[in-house]
């Protein structure tokens, strides 16, 4: 592949090398192999279901042992809210009140989302805000016809010179309305949550990955709420931000695997999905890192329950980390007894869910030590898993690599060959899905931080079909942050209740119980 001088300048300005871009183009040509799922992880086979006593023990272990540890909550928050309002943008574009009634439009387009939205209008946290805007424009909302109400309301919500919700960061949208009329954002709710489980000595540290152009808005929002939230929680907050780095962008190609060019003949690079955030995570240095998406929050009455399960996951992490570190120190000794070997092997198999190779027993002791160290000396992630409710998407699976080794992985349905009957069957019968509820340990037994780039499965990237300027293109997404980017971490799956999973994917999700005050 030959690049022009201008191409090379453009590539290097992004912090990339020509070799890296050529490797990306090669991936498009060769294609990315599907993930080979061997079985769904289930209770008793890869997923822990804890008794009430075990939950209490894990919580107590975390509360007792967190003193002196640095805790951090990491929140991917770079997305704009555009997708939340997809059906409303379509409504504004396609609906003509002069030509048809609202009911006719809803029926013709089978717009259940729109009907549900309009029925729940007064329950949205931004209802009064929209009405206030309409009032300022001299529009008396209550006297409007049903169809005019719908049009005017949505125009105020989404208009670029109005509230412009569709082009706002999801984290700063009105999410919850409390009985005293107070309206909170998802960003603010994360602070309240962090106070309950990610704080030490009345201090909580949070890191949000955001789009750089939203930096001032987030900073302004924090200044606005800081005193109020600190007063209500008794905790002070240290908030930091980072952006998806340009060097994680990937080149786009045409359907013929030739670099896609913009109208001005420059190369087209695209953001590479949440896998790009591995660089942001890797730059942080904390003993325990909680990971949760920006839109997965609840109103205050459910927070204690959510916090309880975060502490349970963190308690399991600290227990396993302690045992893992002890085993690694044993393996550092000059001589190891058969009993000690057996104890490490049993811990790996029974508690860390690591399948030891069939060849292992044939190894000489020095190679056994190398093998066990390599398996143990890795970052650890404890992942909450929720029972399937509806269609299975990304979830917990036993995956077989090209060497036949089995490991626990979080796999998206896009990584699975659905044309293969056996693979499709495993996916369909999966009992749990991934709510992105992670507690991570990123330091080794010597207290040094792991380089997280060393534990990525680069074959777990995605190729997706997109369009630009009306032309088809292929885009490359890096291995997802909790998928291929953490493929070589030690992974423990724990069943958690559905109350811990309350994402707001569409605006109508705000009408669900965990986002409404009784």
């Amino acid at each position: 592949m030959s690049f022009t001088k201008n191409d090379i300048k453009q590539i290097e300005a992004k912090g990339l090398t020509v070799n890296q871009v050529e490797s990306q183009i090669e991936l498009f040509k060769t294609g990315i192999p599907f993930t080979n799922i061997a079985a769904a992880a289930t209770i008793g086979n890869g997923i822990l279901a804890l008794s009430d006593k075990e939950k209490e023990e894990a919580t107590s272990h975390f509360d007792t042992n967190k003193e002196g540890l640095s805790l951090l909550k990491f929140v991917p928050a770079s997305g704009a809210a555009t997708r939340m309002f997809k059906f409303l943008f379509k409504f504004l574009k396609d609906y003509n009140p002069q030509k048809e009634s609202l009911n006719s439009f809803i029926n013709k387009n089978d717009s259940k989302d729109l009907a549900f939205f309009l029925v729940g209008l007064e329950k949205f946290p931004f209802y009064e805000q929209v009405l206030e805007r309409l009032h300022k424009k001299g529009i008396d909302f209550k006297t409007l016809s049903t169809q005019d109400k719908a049009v005017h309301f949505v125009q105020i919500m989404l208009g670029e010179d109005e509230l412009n919700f569709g082009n706002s960061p999801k984290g700063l949208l009105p999410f919850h309305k409390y009985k005293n009329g107070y309206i909170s954002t998802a960003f603010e709710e994360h602070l309240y949550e962090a106070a309950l489980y990610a704080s030490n000595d009345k201090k909580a540290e949070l890191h949000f990955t955001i789009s750089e152009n939203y930096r001032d808005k987030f900073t302004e929002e924090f200044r606005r709420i800081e005193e109020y939230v600190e007063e209500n929680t008794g905790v002070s907050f240290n908030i930091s931000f980072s952006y998806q780095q340009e060097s994680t962008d990937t080149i786009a190609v045409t359907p013929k695997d030739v670099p896609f060019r913009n109208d001005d003949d420059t190369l087209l690079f695209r953001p590479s999905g949440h896998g790009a955030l591995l660089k942001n995570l890797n730059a942080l240095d904390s003993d325990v890192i909680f990971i949760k998406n920006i839109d997965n929050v609840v109103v205050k009455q459910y927070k204690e329950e959510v916090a309880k399960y975060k502490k349970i996951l963190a308690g399991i992490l600290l227990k396993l980390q302690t045992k893992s570190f002890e085993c690694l120190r044993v393996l550092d000794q000059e001589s190891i007894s058969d009993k000690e070997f057996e104890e490490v092997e049993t811990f790996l198999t029974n508690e860390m869910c690591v399948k030891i190779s069939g060849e292992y027993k044939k190894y000489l002791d020095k190679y056994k030590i190398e093998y066990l160290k390599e398996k143990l000396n890795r970052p650890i992630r404890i992942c909450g898993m929720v029972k399937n409710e509806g269609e299975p998407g990304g979830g917990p699976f036993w995956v077989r690599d090209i060497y036949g080794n089995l490991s626990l992985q979080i796999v998206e349905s896009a990584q699975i060959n659905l044309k293969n009957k056996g693979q499709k069957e495993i996916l369909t019968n999966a009992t749990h899905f991934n709510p992105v509820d992670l507690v991570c340990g990123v330091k080794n037994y010597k207290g040094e931080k792991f380089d997280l780039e060393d534990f990525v499965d680069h074959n777990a990237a995605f190729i997706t079909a997109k369009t630009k300027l009306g032309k088809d293109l292929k885009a490359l997404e890096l291995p997802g942050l909790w998928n291929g980017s953490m493929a070589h971490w030690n992974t423990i799956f724990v069943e958690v209740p559905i109350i811990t999973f309350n994402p707001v994917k569409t605006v109508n999700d705000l009408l669900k119980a965990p986002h409404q005050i009784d």
Side-chain angles (χ1 to χ4, degrees):
M1 174 75 230
S2 56
F3 289 111
T4 66
K5 279 183 184 173
N6 283 343
D7 291 343
I8 293 166
K9 266 188 194 167
Q10 188 188 347
I11 289 166
E12 289 174 350
K14 289 191 86 68
L16 286 159
T17 65
V18 170
N19 278 350
Q20 283 173 310
V21 175
E22 283 173 343
S23 299
Q24 290 172 8
I25 293 167
E26 199 52 38
L27 270 179
F28 284 114
K29 289 177 180 172
T30 57
I32 292 166
F34 285 111
T35 298
N36 181 15
I37 52 175
T42 52
I43 301 291
N45 183 29
I47 300 180
L48 293 176
L50 303 177
S51 65
D52 288 344
K53 188 180 175 211
E54 287 169 324
K55 288 174 189 173
E56 278 171 32
E57 281 172 1
T59 308
S60 165
H61 188 82
F62 174 65
D63 284 335
T64 309
N65 292 281
K66 71 173 185 173
E67 299 308 318
L69 294 178
S70 54
L71 311 177
L72 173 76
K73 186 174 183 186
F74 180 84
V75 185
S78 48
T82 318
R83 280 189 213 162
M84 269 179 71
F85 306 104
K86 194 177 171 186
F87 70 91
L88 292 176
F89 277 115
K90 185 176 171 16
F91 165 64
L92 281 186
K93 182 172 158 281
D94 296 348
Y95 179 54
N96 184 340
Q98 269 74 53
K99 291 191 175 174
E100 62 182 327
S101 71
L102 188 58
N103 274 346
S104 160
F105 177 83
I106 288 170
N107 293 332
K108 188 176 78 184
N109 293 281
D110 195 24
S111 300
K112 291 189 184 78
D113 284 346
L114 179 61
F116 191 64
F117 173 81
L118 295 172
V119 166
L121 215 53
E122 292 181 25
K123 290 185 175 177
F124 284 106
F126 44 78
Y127 178 72
E128 300 294 341
Q129 202 179 349
V130 172
L131 261 56
E132 208 175 294
R133 284 245 173 178
L134 286 166
H135 181 69
K136 280 181 183 168
K137 286 175 166 290
I139 297 167
D140 184 357
F141 185 73
K142 289 183 172 62
T143 63
L144 297 176
S145 67
T146 308
Q147 60 195 40
D148 284 346
K149 277 182 178 173
V151 172
H152 279 294
F153 196 94
V154 177
Q155 277 175 342
I156 293 290
M157 278 174 65
L158 301 182
E160 284 189 22
D161 52 351
E162 297 296 345
L163 294 174
N164 199 14
F165 283 166
N167 292 313
S168 301
K170 201 187 259 192
L172 296 183
L173 288 180
F175 254 48
H176 300 147
K177 183 178 180 181
Y178 290 94
K179 282 184 175 162
N180 61 359
Y182 186 80
I183 289 168
S184 68
T185 60
F187 174 70
E188 181 173 340
E189 297 292 9
H190 274 285
L191 270 62
Y192 279 104
E193 248 188 52
L196 292 174
Y197 60 75
S199 63
N200 244 344
D201 299 326
K202 300 201 175 296
K203 292 185 183 72
E205 196 164 334
L206 293 94
H207 184 90
F208 294 83
T209 63
I210 60 172
S211 295
E212 194 164 356
N213 50 330
Y214 295 144
R215 171 75 188 240
D216 290 347
K217 284 187 174 181
F218 273 97
T219 306
E220 198 180 301
E221 173 69 357
F222 181 53
R223 278 200 203 109
R224 187 182 73 80
I225 63 173
E226 184 177 9
E227 200 176 315
Y228 180 77
V229 180
E230 289 186 355
E231 216 172 87
N232 276 284
T233 59
V235 170
S236 65
F237 297 88
N238 179 25
I239 307 274
S240 57
F241 300 104
S242 65
Y243 322 115
Q244 200 159 307
Q245 295 176 24
E246 274 200 67
S247 61
T248 63
D249 288 357
T250 51
I251 195 158
V253 297
T254 67
K256 292 186 175 175
D257 300 322
V258 173
F260 187 101
R261 292 189 179 271
N262 295 307
D263 282 347
D264 61 1
D265 208 38
T266 56
L267 299 167
L268 175 65
F269 287 89
R270 303 181 83 262
S272 57
H274 57 68
L277 300 180
L278 186 72
K279 277 193 185 299
N280 305 61
L281 184 63
N282 205 20
L284 302 170
D285 184 9
S286 292
D287 296 314
V288 177
I289 301 178
F290 297 88
I291 301 181
K292 198 177 186 195
N293 279 333
I294 186 69
D295 62 351
N296 185 11
V297 288
V298 289
V299 289
K300 289 188 185 72
Q301 71 197 75
Y302 299 104
K303 277 194 173 24
E304 292 286 348
E305 186 71 358
V306 168
K308 170 183 151 185
Y309 281 93
K310 269 290 197 285
K311 286 184 173 190
I312 288 166
L313 298 182
I316 293 169
L317 171 72
L318 295 184
K319 272 186 177 181
L320 289 176
Q321 214 174 34
T322 301
K323 284 190 190 174
S324 177
F325 291 175
E326 283 167 7
C327 288
L328 283 159
R329 288 187 193 104
V330 166
L331 295 171
D332 271 351
Q333 292 172 167
E334 279 182 30
S335 68
I336 300 169
S337 68
D338 288 346
K339 186 173 181 278
E340 285 171 324
F341 266 121
E342 200 178 306
E343 281 170 359
V344 175
E345 293 156 12
T346 303
F347 170 68
L348 256 180
T349 306
N350 295 352
E351 295 190 56
M352 296 299 283
C353 292
V354 173
K355 303 277 189 192
I356 292 177
S357 160
E359 299 295 303
Y360 170 81
K361 291 290 180 195
K362 302 173 190 172
Y363 296 167
L364 294 171
D365 280 5
K366 71 170 188 172
Y367 296 121
K368 279 185 176 179
I369 291 167
E370 265 179 37
Y371 178 89
L372 295 172
K373 269 191 167 181
E374 197 273 329
K375 289 289 183 193
L376 269 175
N377 198 24
R378 301 175 179 211
I380 302 175
R381 57 176 175 161
I382 314 297
C383 314
M385 287 294 155
V386 172
K387 274 184 188 164
N388 254 340
E389 296 210 344
E391 290 301 306
F397 292 91
W398 286 102
V399 167
R400 183 172 277 113
D401 69 14
I402 53 171
Y403 306 106
N405 300 313
L406 285 172
S407 63
L408 286 173
Q409 302 291 341
I410 296 169
V411 184
E412 302 298 323
S413 45
Q415 294 173 268
I416 299 166
N417 182 3
L418 298 177
K419 289 177 184 168
N420 179 308
K421 198 178 165 194
Q423 294 283 286
K424 190 176 180 182
E425 206 170 297
I426 294 170
L427 174 66
T428 308
N429 294 325
T431 57
H432 289 70
F433 70 88
N434 161 42
V436 188
D437 197 0
L438 283 71
V439 185
C440 305
V442 296
K443 291 184 180 176
N444 67 16
Y445 67 115
K446 295 175 180 174
E448 303 155 337
K449 208 183 78 60
F450 287 108
D451 182 352
L452 303 181
E453 303 271 1
D454 293 342
F455 300 90
V456 178
D457 174 6
H458 295 284
N459 283 329
F462 302 80
I463 292 173
T464 54
K466 304 281 181 187
T467 58
K468 168 106 190 209
L469 312 167
K471 297 172 194 164
D472 290 337
L473 61 85
K474 292 199 288 189
L476 180 68
E477 285 197 15
L478 291 174
L481 182 59
W482 38 83
N483 312 115
S485 281
M486 294 182 175
H488 301 305
W489 291 40
N490 278 328
T491 297
I492 306 294
F493 294 143
V494 180
E495 186 177 63
V496 293
I498 195 74
I499 188 60
T500 61
F501 183 57
N502 302 284
V504 177
K505 297 305 174 198
T506 92
V507 65
N508 285 347
D509 288 332
L510 290 172
L511 299 175
K512 291 178 178 174
H515 299 289
Q516 293 282 324
I517 294 294
D518 289 342

